[in-house]
Amino acid sequence: MIPIVDITVPASAFELGRLLEQLPGVRIELEQLVPIENSIIPLFWVSEGDPEEIEAILRESPLTEHVEFLAEDGQRKLFKVIWNREVNGLIHPLIDTNAKVLEAENVGEGWDFRIQFPSHDALSTFRDCCESENIPIILRQLYNPQYPDGGDALTDEQHEAIVVAYEQGYFDVPRGTTVSELAAQFDISDNAFSQRLRRGLGTLVRETMVES
């Protein structure tokens, strides 16, 4: 069983919180978090704010080894930061439990995370690590996707397509979004997104609702 949790933590529990302290009007969305050798590399989008000011704030941290402004998408700017292994807060509990951050963004004065763990034991270890680091966690939701032994699990792309479609109201009546709008977010064609969604849903139904 692979648990997925939605949690909320204080801004100070994640190193990017220093941006929220000095630029309270910005919105931050984590794109990827990559541990490499002696460094931690987050890629993240920032809505609003001046890129030079954002880079300057990030460079002030003694944990920052490198900052790079990568691209711009409308109102959002994509940054890459390299932190050294001294970075604390939520980072090491995530890495030590092989957790995968599916989504992360700032909400008010805190962070909302959706995290996938390889097992419930890993989730318990993560909780214990956060307690030892005095990181308060609010558990908003716990999901337990389960597949029978020998079944086919969803691919990461199929999982993300289903979750995003659900969250944006594609399955509502009336629908809150369209295939075209969803496909544009993934930068793929309407047909490719439709196939990804249908194959993912087919796998989900077959492995969780249909007896062999």
Side-chain angles (χ1 to χ4, degrees), residues 1-91:
M1 186 177 294
I2 302 175
I4 298 173
V5 297
D6 289 344
I7 64 172
T8 298
V9 298
S12 59
F14 192 47
E15 174 62 15
L16 291 179
R18 66 178 51 249
L19 283 179
L20 303 181
E21 294 173 359
Q22 300 188 46
L23 300 173
V26 303
R27 181 169 181 266
I28 303 173
E29 303 170 74
L30 186 66
E31 180 74 17
Q32 193 174 15
L33 186 65
V34 183
I36 299 178
E37 295 182 355
N38 295 318
S39 303
I40 310 296
I41 304 178
L43 275 70
F44 57 96
W45 295 93
V46 181
S47 300
E48 308 300 334
D50 177 70
E52 292 185 0
E53 184 177 12
I54 292 170
E55 287 187 52
I57 293 172
L58 293 170
R59 286 197 177 96
E60 290 175 358
S61 171
L63 302 172
T64 299
E65 296 183 346
H66 177 73
V67 181
E68 187 175 350
F69 173 38
L70 298 177
E72 188 168 0
D73 176 16
Q75 297 295 317
R76 302 191 308 167
K77 291 90 175 175
L78 181 63
F79 291 86
K80 178 178 77 173
V81 176
I82 300 179
W83 291 325
N84 61 45
R85 285 279 177 167
E86 297 302 315
V87 65
N88 51 14
L90 206 63
I91 297 297

Side-chain angles (χ1 to χ4, degrees), residues 111-131:
W111 295 95
D112 280 357
F113 280 84
R114 173 164 291 172
I115 306 170
Q116 177 179 304
F117 292 90
S119 66
H120 274 278
D121 286 343
L123 173 56
S124 296
T125 300
F126 173 81
R127 180 195 61 201
D128 294 341
C129 289
C130 288
E131 287 182 356

Side-chain angles (χ1 to χ4, degrees), residues 147-165:
Y147 304 97
D149 293 339
D152 297 323
L154 294 173
T155 66
D156 290 342
E157 291 81 6
Q158 291 169 350
H159 178 276
E160 186 178 15
I162 293 172
V163 170
V164 171

